[in-house]
Amino acid sequence: MSSQNEEIYPMNLVSFSIKTKGPGNFARRLRTVFTRFGFTEARTRHALHTIIDCLASYHASPTFFIPAIVLRRHPSLLARIATRGSEIGIHGYVHNDYRHLSVYEQFKQTQQAISVFKETHIPYAGFRNPYLGWTQESLRVFTRLGFQYESNEAVLHNVIDLAHFSPSLRTGYAKSLQLFQAIPSNIYTLRPHFEGTLLRIPTSIPDDEMLFDRLRITNPAEVGCIWSRVMEHVYDLGGLYTLNLHPERAIPCRKALDILLSFATSRPLPIWIVTLQEIAQWWNERSQFRLHITPLTPGRWHIAAACTSRATLLARHITVEDQTTQPWHATDVCIPSRNFSVEAARCPCIGVSLQTPQSVVDFLYEQGYPAQRCLPEDAHTYAYYLDLPGGTGTTCKERAQQKSVLVQHIEQLQVPLLRFACWPNANRAALAISGDIDSVTIQDFFLRILEVRQHTRQVR
Ligand SMILES: [Zn+2]
């Protein structure tokens, strides 16, 4: 972490807020605290049920994340929304930034959080860090403690023309991007991916806080339009849109949420509206899918798909024999059958050189592509030939970049190719409505200042 970042993350919430939001914004924030929260649970309960009701009309449920210490103060409220089908994930033991904790403190506090979830009988599967403040050590902690997924990688969608905003608002917005370690949106970054057994499910920014409090866009129709533009972009790339809507802004955002959901359900192909845990279960299921391609006669292959019934099997530039196919997106068609023969100009599979490490083949499988080892002289008989003796790179950053370039390239190939789509049941994209319940009452909001101070002593 840079020394510049150290200055941005002081331990005290008040000075933190003043530094990142400015004194004017902090005063504004204090006013809104008293309008968005109450001294009882009533306002937050109403906000949570508003989101749940809104999604229920689309047969979907939200995912909420909550600091364990806040859950401990409001167990029946959370138990009630869990029984209505909402997923509850862990948002720290207290609302602190893990980038300020040693790996030991991260481990200890995550364990403490798990204990509270167990005591209160709230099932959990995933973790989202306050301020999306993850580190490589956090990923190891989540893996060791058995989490199915984490949802911290902040994919930035450039859907706002910042030129229309004042320099001070633009500065505040830029501070959020830095705080959230924003990454660009593309085909690869909009997909979940495994790091070992831990699934990383991307989240999206700008979130509601950046729109409402940073850029002061409070018109619900305008917010709904921005969210729909993000959805359109995600749909075009076939990825996941994880909206982050803090329940404290649910009431002013209700109409915006309706606009987004109505937009998402009126696309030509369906969008899977889903909780993050369901995505984690699906991605695990999908990771076992394989395509077995056997040559029959020149230009003909037999295909056996080892997958579950909800897999979406896609083909392009291939003639499928004696089977019905359904048009899907662009040049892709959907094949309902799992056993069939095809005619194609080349083997509809990715040929991988013998010196390319197995990790690259595993990566191709994870992305839903069929792969076979092949010799360089046979390269031209495959849809695409991959020769990466050094794998996808040595550093995390290099690997992410190379994987991104590779996926983008394969997706755009106009050659005979079979593959599994990202989402089940012929869905083109996925949409998860998530929200961090940072506080339930005004008391929670102010207790946070003390809790963060008590639990962030050990700065690296
Ligand atoms: Zn939070």
Side-chain angles (χ1 to χ4, degrees):
M1 196 165 67
S2 72
S3 59
Q4 197 185 1
N5 282 347
E6 295 277 1
E7 284 171 24
I8 295 171
Y9 308 123
M11 285 176 282
N12 178 306
L13 180 69
V14 175
S15 62
F16 172 87
S17 298
I18 291 173
K19 278 203 176 186
T20 61
K21 298 180 181 176
N25 278 344
F26 182 66
R28 200 169 165 267
R29 175 72 177 139
L30 268 187
R31 279 198 302 279
T32 57
V33 166
F34 284 91
T35 56
R36 290 176 189 163
F37 300 100
F39 289 104
T40 69
E41 293 176 347
R43 272 189 201 170
T44 297
R45 180 185 298 115
H46 177 53
L48 293 170
H49 287 284
T50 297
I51 296 175
I52 296 169
D53 291 341
C54 193
L55 278 160
S57 48
Y58 294 89
H59 310 289
S61 297
T63 302
F64 296 113
F65 293 92
I66 187 165
I69 208 160
V70 182
L71 166 64
R72 185 184 273 148
R73 288 197 285 268
H74 308 280
S76 52
L77 171 72
L78 272 295
R80 174 74 192 118
I81 63 166
T83 56
R84 289 200 64 196
S86 305
E87 179 196 347
I88 316 289
I90 303 184
H91 194 46
Y93 177 64
V94 300
H95 197 276
N96 58 358
D97 192 329
Y98 269 32
R99 286 169 290 197
H100 281 276
L101 302 182
S102 66
V103 63
Y104 172 73
E105 276 299 324
Q106 291 191 30
F107 189 84
K108 204 174 91 182
Q109 291 185 26
T110 309
Q111 257 185 333
Q112 280 178 297
I114 289 172
S115 304
V116 175
F117 272 68
K118 286 187 172 159
E119 279 162 30
T120 48
H121 307 289
I122 299 288
Y124 66 91
F127 197 104
R128 175 179 286 158
N129 285 84
Y131 314 108
L132 305 178
W134 67 276
T135 65
Q136 282 298 328
E137 288 90 349
S138 322
L139 303 184
R140 289 204 294 275
V141 166
F142 301 150
T143 304
R144 270 208 45 207
L145 291 173
F147 283 90
Q148 286 177 34
Y149 76 87
E150 61 86 58
S151 176
N152 283 309
E153 280 192 305
V155 178
L156 172 66
H157 295 272
N158 285 313
V159 287
I160 297 168
D161 184 0
L162 291 171
H164 293 124
F165 294 87
S166 71
S168 68
L169 293 185
R170 286 206 300 263
T171 304
Y173 189 80
K175 279 180 182 168
S176 288
L177 296 185
Q178 192 187 9
L179 176 66
F180 296 150
Q181 310 174 84
I183 56 173
S185 64
N186 57 50
I187 291 177
Y188 178 65
T189 59
L190 289 173
R191 294 177 174 196
H193 66 270
F194 281 105
E195 280 195 31
T197 55
L198 182 73
L199 187 68
R200 305 200 67 188
I201 305 182
T203 186
S204 296
I205 51 174
D207 66 358
D208 59 322
E209 193 264 345
M210 290 169 78
L211 297 182
F212 267 72
D213 296 355
R214 295 285 192 189
L215 296 178
R216 304 195 188 158
I217 304 172
T218 52
N219 176 346
E222 200 180 339
V223 173
C225 183
I226 290 169
W227 289 349
S228 300
R229 284 206 292 275
V230 175
M231 188 73 255
E232 190 170 24
H233 182 230
V234 171
Y235 179 89
D236 285 343
L237 298 181
L240 164 69
Y241 178 14
T242 307
L243 175 78
N244 196 358
L245 166 58
H246 291 77
E248 63 181 270
R249 293 182 199 83
I251 304 303
C253 283
R254 159 95 214 211
K255 194 175 160 200
L257 189 55
D258 266 332
I259 292 171
L260 168 65
L261 290 165
S262 149
F263 179 84
T265 47
S266 60
R267 298 303 86 208
L269 291 169
I271 291 175
W272 193 31
I273 307 173
V274 68
T275 62
L276 296 178
Q277 185 175 14
E278 285 172 285
I279 289 177
Q281 284 160 353
W282 161 248
W283 219 258
N284 260 300
E285 180 181 320
R286 183 181 175 276
S287 70
Q288 306 302 313
F289 297 172
R290 295 289 181 274
L291 282 165
H292 302 289
I293 303 178
T294 316
L296 295 172
T297 52
R300 282 186 75 227
W301 287 267
H302 180 261
I303 314 295
C307 60
T308 57
S309 59
R310 58 181 186 153
T312 307
L313 179 54
L314 301 176
R316 64 173 63 155
H317 304 296
I318 284 169
T319 305
V320 181
E321 294 177 358
D322 307 322
Q323 298 289 336
T324 51
T325 59
Q326 291 148 6
W328 201 66
H329 188 257
T331 48
D332 286 315
V333 295
C334 234
I335 309 174
S337 174
R338 302 304 185 223
N339 257 294
F340 52 93
S341 299
V342 299
E343 290 167 33
R346 301 187 217 171
C347 179
C349 164
I350 296 168
V352 182
S353 74
L354 301 181
Q355 60 266 41
T356 299
Q358 183 60 30
S359 59
V360 174
V361 176
D362 293 340
F363 173 69
L364 292 172
Y365 290 153
E366 184 196 319
Q367 295 301 314
Y369 306 126
Q372 282 178 9
R373 294 284 180 180
C374 79
L375 297 168
E377 52 267 36
D378 296 328
H380 66 283
T381 63
Y382 285 85
Y384 183 58
Y385 177 66
L386 203 53
D387 179 33
L388 290 175
T392 50
T394 45
T395 65
C396 284
K397 200 174 166 190
E398 244 176 53
R399 281 195 292 273
Q401 265 168 2
Q402 286 212 37
K403 285 175 174 177
S404 176
V405 169
L406 185 57
V407 169
Q408 181 108 3
H409 187 75
I410 295 172
E411 287 293 321
Q412 284 164 359
L413 289 173
Q414 289 307 322
V415 293
L417 184 64
L418 283 162
R419 71 191 201 282
F420 291 109
C422 284
W423 311 110
N425 304 320
N427 282 291
R428 170 64 190 163
L431 169 64
I433 307 300
S434 74
D436 304 343
I437 310 171
D438 296 338
S439 308
V440 170
T441 59
I442 289 172
Q443 297 89 305
D444 291 330
F445 185 86
F446 288 104
L447 279 169
R448 215 169 107 180
I449 298 168
L450 298 174
E451 292 159 359
V452 169
R453 184 182 285 159
Q454 276 167 6
H455 291 84
T456 318
R457 282 197 207 104
Q458 205 169 338
V459 181
R460 278 179 296 179

